[in-house]
Amino acid sequence: MLVAAAVCPHPPLIVPELAGAAAHELDGLRAACREALAELDAAAPDRLVVVGGAESAGSYGGRSAGTLRPWGVDVTVGEGEPVLPLSLTIGRRLLGERRADGFEAVAFDAEPAGCLALGETLAREGRVALLVMADGSARLTPKSPGYHDPAAEPYNDLVVRAVADADAAALAQLDPGEAAGLWVAGRAALQVLAGAAGREGSGGGLKGRLLADAAPYGVGYFVATWT
């Protein structure tokens, strides 16, 4: 069963070495991520699994490595040849010395039913905690990577409310086409969380807490815990 979850963003700039002189702009998000991970620790799960979006699905062992070399900084985390996609690499970096029991990449365009089923499978054995790497819309302002779309802000707010309220049912209902049009990179990963918590209810009895909600570069970044 799912006993706790943390939702964190995965921009490369959350790694201070990559952000350089602008590192302070994401200090609040970094602090919120540290607080969220401390709440996962407090839940004392039997298993910790990191979930994040990627171009294609894949399952990786808990010691797997990822690198930020493609983004211009020689930072590698984990052991062995780097295989983790960006979202899971950032997740591995946020974990620090913590041990993960596995990493699950879910395709950005995965159908909701498959995401929900994956979440149910991940939460089936023992007391499970998930670290879910999920960005919001990248079309919030004219300077956003996807440029501005007036529909982006209300949609991003909807996602943030669902995460803040541990509303698994609302996350389960997110439409993949609408999310893709608004450049919501975290939709599939959040629906894995919904499946793990119980798609029909409000987080399977877990309570949500929003720790951060910001868009410093026109992209929705939020941090929350379900405990």
Side-chain angles (χ1 to χ4, degrees):
M1 64 177 287
L2 184 71
V3 297
V7 178
C8 294
H10 54 79
L13 290 178
I14 206 166
V15 176
E17 294 94 324
L18 187 58
H24 68 281
E25 295 182 19
L26 295 182
D27 280 348
L29 283 172
R30 295 187 192 97
C33 289
R34 290 192 294 270
E35 184 176 354
L37 287 166
E39 292 197 24
L40 291 190
D41 293 340
D46 299 326
R47 297 173 58 240
L48 171 62
V49 181
V50 186
V51 178
E55 294 300 326
S56 59
S59 298
Y60 306 92
R63 297 180 182 273
S64 298
T67 186
L68 291 173
R69 289 175 193 145
W71 288 269
V73 60
D74 190 13
V75 171
T76 298
V77 289
E79 300 177 9
E81 186 70 20
V83 294
L84 298 177
L86 174 63
S87 64
L88 298 181
T89 297
I90 298 298
R92 174 65 272 177
R93 175 60 186 264
L94 291 178
L95 286 176
E97 297 301 317
R98 296 174 179 85
R99 179 181 64 85
D101 293 283
F103 292 86
E104 289 288 338
V106 56
F108 290 125
D109 61 356
E111 289 298 317
C115 298
L116 295 168
L118 174 59
E120 291 173 356
T121 298
L122 292 176
R124 190 168 292 159
E125 296 183 11
R127 302 176 71 260
V128 178
L130 296 183
L131 171 56
V132 181
M133 309 305 298
D135 289 355
S137 176
R139 303 193 68 178
L140 293 174
T141 72
K143 294 184 179 180
S144 297
Y147 305 104
H148 183 240
D149 187 316
E153 185 172 357
Y155 189 90
N156 195 76
D157 288 346
L158 181 154
V159 174
V160 172
R161 284 197 304 273
V163 170
D165 295 339
D167 191 342
L171 293 178
Q173 293 167 8
L174 295 176
D175 179 79
E178 187 175 14
L182 296 174
W183 289 38
V184 180
R187 187 273 310 171
L190 290 172
Q191 289 186 317
V192 174
L193 171 59
R199 71 184 82 177
E200 301 301 333
S202 181
L206 300 176
K207 294 183 178 180
R209 188 163 77 97
L210 186 66
L211 304 178
D213 177 19
Y217 305 112
V219 182
Y221 300 138
F222 38 84
V223 180
T225 55
W226 293 16
T227 56

